[in-house]
């Protein structure tokens, strides 16, 4: 069972920096003192408890937003979450249908997987919002995630209009087969009904999962050489992969993601942010 996962690399990377700096500091490297570990998320410091929402109250607000007040793990089709996600998908459909690709490039869209293409609400409830790579892998390999509302229809419309369909996820390469099965149709667990990922002009399959650092293609080695341990940050991994896709003759017209780290770093004409109040991946 693979215990690496989409959210583990970032947390591990932050810890690794802190440990490395502590070791260097202990060895007498004076400059190490200047590189104190920082939290990955930069935010306000509340002056009072009144400045924040009580965590248990916030969890209930999230259940209400997903139309799942009792926390069964099944979100409602008429929930505010479903409406908001469908609205973003509809914005995407409208934009894509009017877009003309630049030059001779093939029009393409890029979709993140978790909470962009597949909704992980059931796992948030199961885990009580405490991500654990082992239990998360059970949901991934069991192909337990339903589609994000509106997104299958958006992708199907794009495919009909001649767009190449690419998926780009921080899930590890070991989860590629299960991810493809959940997104499309393999008879195991949920088959969300997405179009098959487009095979690229060089023969690569169009579902990009994150390889182990030892197996990085040259474009990731180059883009992530200065990241801790040479391991790509999410932004570097995703933007370098989009640049790679464009280098093969595609124009990424729309890039869809639920995290800002899915969307930063360019190499897309327009970005679309899906709602996800459950976690934050810098
Ligand atoms: Mg995501």
């Amino acid at each position: 069972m693979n215990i690496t996962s989409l959210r583990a690399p970032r947390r591990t990377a932050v810890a690794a920096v802190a440990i490395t700096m502590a070791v260097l500091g202990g060895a007498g490297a004076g400059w190490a003192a200047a590189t104190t570990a920082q939290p990955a998320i930069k935010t306000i410091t509340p002056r009072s408890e009144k400045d924040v929402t009580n965590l248990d109250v916030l969890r209930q607000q999230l259940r209400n937003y997903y139309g799942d007040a009792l926390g069964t793990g099944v979100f409602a089709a008429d929930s505010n979450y479903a409406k908001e996600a469908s609205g973003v998908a509809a914005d995407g459909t409208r934009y894509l249908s009017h877009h003309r690709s630049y030059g001779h490039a093939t029009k393409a869209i890029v979709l993140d997987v978790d909470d962009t293409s597949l909704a992980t609400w059931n796992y948030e409830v199961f885990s009580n919002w405490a991500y654990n790579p082992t239990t998360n892998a059970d949901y991934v390999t069991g192909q337990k995630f339903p589609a994000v509302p509106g997104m299958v229809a958006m992708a199907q419309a794009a495919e009909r209009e001649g767009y190449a369909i690419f998926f780009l996820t921080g899930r590890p390469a070991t989860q590629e087969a299960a991810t493809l099965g959940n997104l499309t149709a393999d008879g195991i667990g949920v088959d969300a009904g997405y179009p098959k990922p487009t095979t690229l002009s060089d023969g690569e399959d169009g579902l990009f999962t994150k390889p182990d650092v030892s197996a990085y293609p040259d474009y990731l080695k180059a883009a992530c050489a200065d990241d801790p341990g040479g391991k790509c940050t999410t932004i570097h991994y995703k933007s370098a992969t989009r640049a790679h896709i464009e280098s093969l003759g595609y124009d990424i017209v729309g890039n869809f993601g639920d995290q800002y780290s899915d969307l930063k770093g360019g190499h897309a004409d327009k970005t679309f942010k899906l709602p996800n109040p459950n976690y934050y991946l810098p």
Side-chain angles (χ1 to χ4, degrees):
M1 171 74 59
N2 170 68
I3 58 157
T4 324
S5 71
L6 74 165
R7 277 180 254 172
R10 167 68 62 176
R11 294 178 183 180
T12 317
V14 171
V17 170
I19 291 163
T20 305
M21 293 313 167
V23 169
L24 289 173
W31 51 265
T35 52
T36 311
Q38 296 291 318
I41 298 174
K42 310 276 183 241
T43 185
I44 62 156
T45 299
R47 291 181 63 87
S48 156
E49 70 160 348
K50 296 183 188 66
D51 294 339
V52 293
T53 302
N54 177 284
L55 188 51
D56 285 319
V57 174
L58 178 58
R59 288 193 183 104
Q60 188 57 51
Q61 291 176 355
L62 297 180
R63 291 183 198 104
N64 295 347
Y65 173 65
Y66 278 81
D68 182 21
L70 298 181
T72 66
V74 179
F75 65 83
D78 63 350
S79 62
N80 290 340
Y81 163 70
K83 289 175 191 161
E84 193 165 6
S86 298
V88 175
D91 288 347
T93 301
R94 213 173 302 117
Y95 179 78
L96 296 174
S97 69
H98 292 118
H99 191 88
R100 293 281 175 273
S101 186
Y102 296 118
H104 298 294
T106 302
K107 297 186 295 184
I109 59 172
V110 168
L111 304 174
D112 166 56
V113 173
D114 288 293
D115 293 298
T116 298
S117 301
L118 301 175
T120 70
W121 173 250
N122 53 5
Y123 181 71
E124 301 309 324
V125 171
F126 167 83
S127 66
N128 198 29
W129 289 268
Y131 179 80
N132 173 299
T134 305
T135 59
N136 184 263
D138 290 340
Y139 276 68
V140 170
T141 55
Q143 306 184 26
K144 294 182 179 180
F145 300 120
V148 168
M151 290 296 285
V152 172
M154 185 283 295
Q156 288 173 336
E159 187 183 47
R160 283 195 299 272
E161 291 166 7
Y163 283 85
I165 313 293
F166 301 127
F167 295 92
L168 172 54
T169 175
R171 289 185 182 186
T174 49
Q175 294 181 340
E176 176 146 342
T179 301
L180 182 64
N182 198 160
L183 287 168
T184 59
D186 67 350
I188 300 168
V190 176
D191 290 335
Y194 283 92
K196 282 194 172 39
T198 304
T199 301
L200 284 90
S201 57
D202 68 347
E204 278 180 276
D205 78 79
L207 167 55
F208 288 86
T209 50
K210 197 172 184 183
D212 189 80
V213 67
S214 62
Y216 276 2
D218 287 345
Y219 63 87
L220 290 185
K221 278 185 204 155
C224 307
D226 294 334
D227 291 339
K231 257 183 116 165
C232 290
T233 64
T234 301
I235 292 172
H236 288 167
Y237 160 62
K238 293 205 163 189
S239 59
T241 303
R242 291 195 303 275
H244 169 68
I245 290 170
E246 291 194 328
S247 77
L248 292 170
Y250 299 90
D251 172 18
I252 298 173
V253 176
N255 175 23
F256 294 78
D258 65 293
Q259 301 290 315
Y260 292 105
S261 51
D262 296 329
L263 307 176
K264 287 178 180 168
H267 299 287
D269 300 340
K270 190 168 172 62
T271 60
F272 294 89
K273 170 72 171 67
L274 277 300
N276 180 7
N278 294 304
Y279 54 86
Y280 187 99
L281 305 177

